[in-house]
Amino acid sequence: MSIPGLHNEGATCHVNAVLQVLFYVNTFRKDVMEHLGDVEYTPVKALAEIYDQMLHYRHKEYTISCSQFITTLGKQYFQQQDADDTFQKIVHDVTESANKPDIAVTFQYQTETPDESFYSVSLHIPLGAAGIDQGIKQMCTDDSHINEISTFLWVDVQRNWSDPNVFFDKFEIKKNYKTQLSDGTYVFKIHSIIAYHQGHFVAFVNKGRVWFMLDDEITYIVPDGLRMGTH
């Protein structure tokens, strides 16, 4: 079983990792694909063409170029950027160019302020923390002012990079997380992870019984028992 890879255009691993993850968010991919036949060349049209190729070569070893799509984002995205910033830029530009706010709903956190929403939450994980459980719970407290959580929970995990011990400090990522809001209890399943190591972003996607590692042009099934270091 194979998954198409995405060509690294020099320093575009941050874009590739995000696009691979978003491809496997079914609602997002389906909304994007509705714009494959658009006449005007926009970010959503460019992304639809990439996803069309990924669907066509879904079970083959194949590499797809994202250069035209990255051009629609801006020249700076051919240079190294933070994957979280890239994610927010992609969701924003695709939603705007599609003129369809529903595309972003999958990722939106709604606050107590009307018409105020955002796509990503940053969680600081201190040294010695066992996992991200406490951060998830804290995110949904009254102090956070979040009253509606997204279907797809995008979390930007922050570490204290100024402390050299962070490179030896690991924490657990569980299969499921339970969180509480005023309207009930929610259980989230880990869908994917974007890991950053030595200046490079790599995506891991949960495909049910197996995990795939998506490293630009290289994609493969993660062997059973492999522990992924998370920094």
Side-chain angles (χ1 to χ4, degrees), residues 19-38:
L19 292 186
Q20 287 279 23
V21 166
L22 292 179
F23 176 80
Y24 291 99
V25 180
N26 293 335
T27 52
F28 178 80
R29 185 185 67 249
K30 290 176 181 177
D31 284 340
V32 167
M33 291 300 295
E34 290 180 2
H35 296 269
L36 183 60
D38 287 2

Side-chain angles (χ1 to χ4, degrees), residues 150-168:
S150 57
T151 304
F152 187 93
L153 197 67
W154 184 281
V155 177
D156 179 27
V157 176
Q158 300 283 334
R159 307 305 313 271
N160 181 12
W161 293 105
S162 62
D163 189 330
N165 292 316
V166 73
F167 295 98
F168 306 98

Side-chain angles (χ1 to χ4, degrees), residues 35-36 53 63 87 95 98 138 150 168 179 188 197 199 202 206 208:
H35 296 269
L36 183 60
Q53 291 184 71
T63 301
F87 160 74
T95 301
Q138 188 67 32
S150 57
F168 306 98
T179 190
F188 287 89
H197 183 63
V202 176
N206 184 357

